[in-house]
Structure formats: structure tokens, C-alpha cells
């Protein structure tokens, strides 16, 4: 059985409601089968295992507020509702991938509030949502009983990087970090190179995850701190560097550790392997390679830029120094603001 399958967008009419995956939803919601039939032409995100059985299902929709069928009401002009969300996680990153898809929609649709209703006994789902900043907000009374309401508010920061995800603190230090083309797309699948506008919500790569681990040896790497913002730079492979090298993504540093902080090879592999593009053999190569001390940076993958400014725009319009070391260098607040503007980044994802 392949637990970690590819996420697929399917119409409700293409999904088998008799799959045992839906049994708990049918028992919790008397109207579930009728509701499912009415949604025949709408779409949901799904993940199947190697035997063709569902392991994950996500249906989300935008709603105009205020939302008055919950107590207290959600007083926002537009919100994102997680209509149905269920996973069979089996110790994989499946839940994380679905949560990232929810946040991708919020950014794409430019909403600052997301809410989900869930029965109290669904402890695993509640824990997953709370880990990424959903707070218990209120209750929704239905014919099936009282559901808890959890709300994610993009307008506040707590200082907990995972809890605040995908919001970026504009007061943090900012670094341009280069990721070689041969690693870039696997590490940041939403940020594949293209010159036209990106449609984040259409990317359903199985490599997509919230957390990433980057292995580097740049001399300034020890200056990076938890909470710093990383602007991911993909150097060009072919053609003039000015036009083919681009900024693609915004990330936030969760943790940074030098080689000396790892007690053993296994300690390092346990830290890096799950979220790195390297296999264990490559990771051990980087761990033991002579030269400047290796650092492992764990980061959250917050935003794929809808537009990817090239080096020419970064220098001429954003004010970055073309002579800087583009492997890793720090930039100022004004330069960062210019990158956000050039990248058409939704302003609600950055709190000043």
C-alpha cells in the first residue's frame, strides 16, 4: 500500500461515496450523502493509496461574511470555509500537505480568515489545525449536534513560526538565499520557473510540504536567526543571467543548526532527511565535506511568488546590489518591500 499518494483534483461525481473512508462522515452527518450528491459538479482534493482507497479528502469554498450560523458570528467580509476535511494520516505528511493547500487558497483568494467546524471527538484533526494556528472560536449548533468552530486569523502574530504560518513578520531580518536549479523545483514545487503568473492552487505535487530543510555552507550562514525571512533565488541555467535568474519564494527560518550541533550521523539524518531534497548518502557527503562549516536550515515554505522578478528587475527596480554574493546576502526593508510589489505578493500575508 502506498500511503503517500499524489494529490488529485476530482469532481464529486468522480469520487466513490461507498468507499469506507466516508463511513464516519455518514454516521456523523445524517445529510452527508444528499449533500455529496448535490456537489456532483464541484471539486475536492483527494489522495488515494496504492489500492485505490481514499486516504484524504478536502473540500473548501469562499463565503461572503459575516458568518451568522456560528456563535459568535465571524465578522469578516469574506472568509474561506473548510467544508469537509478528513485524512487517514498513518504517520505521513499527508495532513500537512492538505493544510498547506488550505492556506494556498487563502492567499490566492486574498482572505484573512479561515474557519472549520468539527466535532469534539476528532482529536487528531483538531490537533493538526491547532498546530498551524487555528484557535477555538465558538460553536455551531446543527441537527447533528454541536460542532466546535476553529478560526485562523491572518491579522495577528504570536511569535510562534509554525502557529503563525503562512504569515511573515516584516520586522524580521531578510536574506536572499540561492538554491541551485537542480534542487529548486523539488524543494519548492509551487515555485517552478515560469514567466507568466503562477496559479498556486493548481499545483498538486506530492513533494509539496510546509517544512523544508536546506543544507548550506555560505560564510554568512551563522548570522541567520530563527524568524528571519528567506527570499529564495533560483540562478538561471541557460541564457543571460539577468533575465533567467529569478526570485521565486518566501520562507521563514524555524531552526538553524551547525554541523557541530549534531551528535552523530543518525542525529543529523533524523533532523534533515524528511524535508530535504537529498537522500541519506548525499546528506552524509555534505555533513563530512571539508571546508566552511555546514549548516542545516529548517524553514517554512510560506509563499510562492505569483510573479517571479528576474535579476534585472531586482537590481534596477528593487534596488538590490548586482555585485553582492547571491549565494546568501542580507537585504533591507525597502528592498524587501520592492520585491513583494514586483512579485505581486498578497499584502495580507506580510504583517508590518
Amino acid at each position: 500500500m502506498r500511503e503517500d499518494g499524489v494529490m488529485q483534483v476530482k469532481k464529486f461525481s468522480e469520487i466513490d461515496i461507498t468507499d469506507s473512508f466516508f463511513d464516519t462522515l455518514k454516521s456523523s452527518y445524517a445529510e452527508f450523502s444528499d449533500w455529496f450528491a448535490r456537489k456532483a459538479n464541484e471539486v475536492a482534493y483527494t489522495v488515494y493509496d496504492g489500492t485505490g482507497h481514499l486516504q484524504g479528502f478536502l473540500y473548501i469554498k469562499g463565503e461572503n461574511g459575516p458568518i451568522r450560523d456560528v456563535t459568535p458570528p465571524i465578522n469578516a467580509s469574506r472568509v474561506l470555509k473548510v467544508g469537509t476535511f478528513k485524512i487517514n494520516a498513518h504517520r505521513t505528511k499527508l495532513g500537512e500537505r492538505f493544510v498547506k493547500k488550505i492556506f494556498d487558497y487563502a492567499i490566492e483568494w486574498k482572505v484573512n480568515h479561515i474557519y472549520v467546524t468539527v466535532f469534539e471527538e476528532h482529536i487528531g484533526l483538531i490537533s493538526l489545525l491547532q498546530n498551524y494556528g487555528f484557535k477555538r472560536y465558538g460553536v455551531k449548533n446543527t441537527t447533528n449536534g454541536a460542532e466546535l468552530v476553529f478560526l485562523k486569523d491572518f491579522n495577528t502574530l504570536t511569535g510562534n513560526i509554525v502557529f503563525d504560518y503562512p504569515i511573515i513578520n516584516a520586522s524580521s531580518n531578510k536574506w536572499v538565499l540561492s538554491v541551485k536549479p537542480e534542487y529548486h523545483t523539488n524543494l519548492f514545487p509551487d515555485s517552478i520557473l515560469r514567466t507568466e503568473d503562477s496559479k498556486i492552487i493548481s499545483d498538486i505535487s506530492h513533494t509539496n510540504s510546509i517544512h523544508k530543510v536546506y543544507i548550506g555552507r555560505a560564510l554568512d550562514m551563522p548570522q541567520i536567526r530563527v524568524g528571519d525571512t528567506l527570499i529564495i533565488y533560483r540562478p538561471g541555467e541557460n541564457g543571460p543571467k539577468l533575465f533567467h535568474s529569478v526570485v521565486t519564494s518566501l520562507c521563514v527560518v524555524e531552526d538553524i543548526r551547525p554541523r557541530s550541533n549534531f551528535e552523530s550521523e543518525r542525529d543529523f539524518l533524523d533532523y534533515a532527511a524528511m524535508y530535504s531534497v537529498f537522500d541519506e548518502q548525499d546528506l552524509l557527503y555534505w555533513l563530512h565535506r571539508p571546508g566552511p562549516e555546514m549548516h542545516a536550515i529548517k524553514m517554512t515554505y510560506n509563499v510562492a511568488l505569483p510573479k517571479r522578478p528576474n535579476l534585472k528587475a531586482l537590481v534596477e527596480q528593487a534596488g538590490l546590489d548586482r555585485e553582492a554574493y547571491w549565494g546568501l546576502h542580507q537585504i533591507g526593508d525597502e528592498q524587501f518591500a520592492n520585491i513583494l510589489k514586483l512579485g505581486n505578493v498578497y499584502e495580507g500575508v506580510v504583517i508590518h
Side-chain angles (χ1 to χ4, degrees), residues 179-180 182-184 186-187 213-216 268-269 272-287 289 294-295:
V179 177
K180 293 181 179 180
E182 58 263 37
Y183 307 129
H184 177 274
N186 282 335
L187 196 60
V213 170
Y214 174 90
I215 308 299
F268 173 62
L269 292 174
M274 180 177 290
Y275 293 111
S276 171
V277 296
F278 297 121
D279 61 23
E280 290 195 357
Q281 183 177 353
D282 287 332
L283 285 170
L284 292 177
Y285 165 78
W286 287 106
L287 179 68
R289 182 181 175 185
M294 179 219 74
H295 283 71

Side-chain angles (χ1 to χ4, degrees), residues 62-123:
E63 293 186 340
N64 294 320
I67 307 302
R68 301 190 184 279
D69 61 350
V70 303
T71 304
I74 300 173
N75 293 311
S77 60
R78 183 161 169 79
V79 301
L80 186 67
K81 180 181 180 181
V82 180
T84 304
F85 181 24
K86 183 188 174 185
I87 55 170
N88 294 334
H90 302 306
R91 297 184 299 278
T92 70
K93 294 181 287 187
L94 187 57
E96 176 191 321
R97 288 166 51 202
F98 275 108
V99 169
K100 185 176 190 305
K101 192 56 59 180
I102 293 168
F103 289 138
D104 288 345
Y105 261 94
I107 293 171
E108 180 78 10
W109 291 355
K110 298 180 172 57
V111 301
N112 288 337
H113 297 86
I114 311 169
Y115 81 102
V116 57
T117 62
V118 59
F119 286 113
E120 192 169 14
E121 60 265 27
H122 297 302
I123 298 171

Side-chain angles (χ1 to χ4, degrees), residues 317-341:
Q317 299 178 55
L320 274 67
D321 181 4
R322 186 178 179 182
E323 302 305 316
Y325 172 58
W326 284 79
L328 176 70
H329 72 278
Q330 191 170 357
I331 65 171
D333 292 345
E334 184 176 352
Q335 294 167 317
F336 180 63
N338 290 337
I339 290 174
L340 296 179
K341 185 176 181 181

Side-chain angles (χ1 to χ4, degrees), residues 176-181 183-184 187-188 211-218 221 224 230-233 235 251 253 255-258 262 268 271-278 283 286 294-300 325-328:
V176 174
L177 176 67
S178 179
V179 177
K180 293 181 179 180
Y183 307 129
H184 177 274
L187 196 60
F188 304 105
H211 307 278
K212 306 291 178 182
V213 170
Y214 174 90
I215 308 299
R217 301 160 62 87
M221 205 155 278
I224 294 175
L230 302 178
I231 300 101
I232 304 301
Y233 174 76
C251 301
V253 178
D255 187 31
I256 178 167
R257 297 189 189 182
F262 295 102
F268 173 62
Y271 180 87
M274 180 177 290
Y275 293 111
S276 171
V277 296
F278 297 121
L283 285 170
W286 287 106
M294 179 219 74
H295 283 71
I297 303 176
K298 187 176 184 182
M299 65 186 81
T300 53
Y325 172 58
W326 284 79
L328 176 70

Side-chain angles (χ1 to χ4, degrees), residues 2-59:
R2 185 164 65 97
E3 295 178 348
D4 196 15
V6 175
M7 192 178 290
Q8 304 174 63
V9 178
K10 286 184 171 289
K11 285 186 175 183
F12 277 67
S13 59
E14 299 173 323
I15 302 169
D16 181 10
I17 195 175
T18 67
D19 191 305
S20 60
F21 175 88
F22 291 115
D23 287 351
T24 56
L25 291 169
K26 293 175 184 175
S27 64
S28 296
Y29 301 94
E31 72 283 4
F32 183 80
S33 295
D34 290 339
W35 172 84
F36 198 95
R38 292 198 303 272
K39 299 292 181 183
N41 292 319
E42 297 191 43
V43 298
Y45 284 98
T46 61
V47 168
Y48 291 82
D49 65 26
T51 68
H53 290 91
L54 269 170
Q55 295 297 302
F57 180 93
L58 172 66
Y59 169 69

